[in-house]
Amino acid sequence: MNFEEAIKDVARRSRHNAEIAETEEATKMAVIVPFIRALGYDVFDLSHVVPEFCADVGIKKGEKVDYALKIDGKVAVLVEAKPFSTNLGSVQYSQLFRYFTVTDARLAILSNGREVWFFSDIEEKNKMDKSPFFKFNFENYDKFQLESLQKFHRDSFDLDAVLSTASVLRYSDLASGYLKRQLHDPDENFVRFVGKEIYDGSLTKGVVEQLKPSIRAALESIVRSEISEKLGVAFQPAVRPEVQVNQDNADVLSVALEVVTTDEEAQAFLIVRAICAEIADVDRIFIRDTKSYCGVNFDDNNRKPVCRFWFNAKSVKYIGLFDEERQETKHEIASVSQIYKFATHIRKTVSAYL
């Protein structure tokens, strides 16, 4: 299988074993070893993968790292595994820090079978950074993240390119986090930075407070415009169906023109597309809006429903899911983000159409 298929296989293993692999060893066998293999390493060849790697020089005696990945006889990557139940944000991984300084490795991987965190020495050479430069989530990844992950494949491994990528990913991630915070609640420095370009007078504290809601609204408008521009083609068939006007179908046209795909329905559609991306080409996932509900179909075929959004009521929202007999069951949701709770069911429905 190719790289994308190999990662999909690991993602499937992660979902399947998340609740039953209770120990670190079980997590290793279920996901970590298949993931190392997906990166191009022969897990049965000690010149590729050394389990329980130990390097006592200058560090605590007898301490081991779960795996050392080798290229051309040298340790290139250190791998530390944790159980599925582990929160990587609070876990201790002191072995990786110590081993980073006494081996040739410039990369370290920490994983709990759900997420994979990549570390390097961007801040200070030969000293592992305290925060990862790249995070990969088997349950939720996109094409860009998959392409970034492929750069760590053994067959195309280029340390200089990887370290360059690490620097870009780290700072782009930090920049993304900063911009997200500004989108939600612009701070004074950011408002003043933008204010210098749009306001002629003195930026007093009162002026800054007046500008703040305008700048936040502008940021939200830019995001909406970008989404609308990039995804307009995907929604166009549902929002503006082509109907030839004549006396016989005048009523049909009247109903069609009343159909408006809301922002929530559009967001829900994107979530379903992301869920389906793991097993199918997203171009085969179509939105089909109606006056009563907003439907998602496979291959734009009404006989292949994926799910339905019942968002028209003012006080409650439902997602309609289908069983093997195409019978629909509605489930109440508080927000569109809760659609991810039904990811397994949605993928199962789509799998039946493949």
Side-chain angles (χ1 to χ4, degrees):
M1 61 180 74
N2 61 31
F3 182 73
E4 181 177 358
E5 292 170 340
I7 296 301
K8 284 183 178 179
D9 178 67
V10 178
R12 179 188 60 78
R13 293 173 184 271
S14 176
R15 293 191 300 271
H16 177 72
N17 293 288
E19 304 302 326
I20 58 178
E22 299 179 353
T23 66
E24 181 177 310
E25 288 302 317
T27 304
K28 290 179 186 177
M29 294 303 298
V31 179
I32 307 302
V33 170
F35 175 65
I36 292 174
R37 185 174 58 190
L39 290 180
Y41 294 86
D42 184 344
V43 296
F44 302 108
D45 186 342
L46 292 179
S47 67
H48 280 210
V49 180
V50 181
E52 297 294 304
F53 179 70
C54 182
D56 287 337
V57 180
I59 63 174
K60 185 177 179 180
K61 301 296 183 180
E63 195 171 47
K64 300 175 181 177
V65 171
D66 290 318
Y67 301 99
L69 310 185
K70 287 188 170 184
I71 297 177
D72 296 330
K74 295 182 178 180
V75 175
V77 185
L78 300 173
V79 182
E80 183 71 12
K82 298 296 178 182
F84 270 102
S85 58
T86 302
N87 179 354
L88 295 186
S90 60
V91 71
Q92 296 293 321
Y93 36 93
S94 56
Q95 298 99 313
L96 287 180
F97 280 101
R98 285 192 285 270
Y99 271 60
F100 208 87
T101 61
V102 296
T103 67
D104 296 321
R106 299 288 301 280
L107 291 174
I109 291 176
L110 179 70
S111 178
N112 60 0
R114 299 177 188 270
E115 293 181 275
V116 185
W117 288 13
F118 290 80
F119 298 82
S120 187
D121 54 353
I122 298 171
E123 296 180 359
E124 185 178 345
K125 191 172 181 179
N126 295 326
K127 183 178 181 181
M128 194 178 94
D129 299 328
K130 293 183 179 180
S131 58
F133 66 84
F134 178 51
K135 297 179 182 180
F136 189 86
N137 190 323
F138 289 119
E139 297 180 0
N140 182 24
Y141 61 87
D142 57 30
K143 183 178 180 180
F144 172 76
Q145 292 168 324
L146 186 64
E147 291 175 350
S148 297
L149 182 65
Q150 190 167 8
K151 294 180 180 179
F152 302 102
H153 194 281
R154 191 176 194 273
D155 292 344
S156 56
F157 191 88
D158 182 328
L159 182 59
D160 291 336
V162 168
L163 294 177
S164 177
T165 298
S167 179
V168 171
L169 289 173
R170 174 176 171 80
Y171 291 114
S172 65
D173 186 58
L174 292 173
S176 176
Y178 170 75
L179 292 174
K180 284 180 180 178
R181 292 193 297 273
Q182 303 313 313
L183 176 63
H184 177 71
D185 184 23
D187 61 34
E188 182 176 343
N189 288 336
F190 185 82
V191 174
R192 288 185 178 277
F193 174 76
V194 177
K196 291 178 181 179
E197 302 297 325
I198 63 175
Y199 188 78
D200 292 332
S202 176
L203 290 173
T204 64
K205 192 171 185 63
V207 171
V208 169
E209 288 301 314
Q210 290 179 355
L211 289 177
K212 186 174 181 178
S214 298
I215 292 174
R216 178 180 177 182
L219 290 172
E220 292 176 345
S221 176
I222 291 171
V223 172
R224 285 197 300 269
S225 296
E226 286 294 310
I227 292 175
S228 177
E229 181 179 344
K230 292 181 182 298
L231 300 172
V233 174
F235 295 117
Q236 188 173 358
V239 179
R240 294 289 183 267
E242 294 182 8
V243 182
Q244 186 173 345
V245 181
N246 56 46
Q247 189 63 39
D248 293 334
N249 61 27
D251 292 338
V252 175
L253 177 61
S254 177
V255 172
L257 291 176
E258 294 178 19
V259 175
V260 177
T261 301
T262 66
D263 288 343
E264 277 193 322
E265 289 169 338
Q267 292 171 20
F269 174 60
L270 294 180
I271 290 173
V272 172
R273 268 190 146 194
I275 290 171
C276 297
E278 294 189 14
I279 60 173
D281 187 340
V282 294
D283 290 335
R284 301 180 71 180
I285 310 299
F286 285 79
I287 189 171
R288 184 64 59 179
D289 211 348
T290 71
K291 193 173 182 180
S292 301
Y293 63 84
C294 181
V296 179
N297 300 327
F298 191 71
D299 285 342
D300 202 18
N301 188 335
N302 287 330
R303 290 176 294 178
K304 297 180 179 181
V306 175
C307 62
R308 288 175 179 171
F309 311 132
W310 299 85
F311 292 174
N312 291 341
K314 293 183 179 180
S315 59
V316 65
K317 289 187 278 289
Y318 297 92
I319 179 173
L321 302 177
F322 295 86
D323 60 21
E324 296 176 355
E325 303 300 324
R326 307 293 186 267
Q327 297 298 312
E328 182 183 10
T329 302
K330 294 181 182 178
H331 302 267
E332 184 176 345
I333 57 176
S335 64
V336 294
S337 63
Q338 290 190 353
I339 292 174
Y340 282 111
K341 294 169 55 179
F342 305 98
T344 299
H345 190 114
I346 291 171
R347 281 191 285 263
K348 182 178 179 181
T349 299
V350 172
S351 294
Y353 300 140
L354 294 174

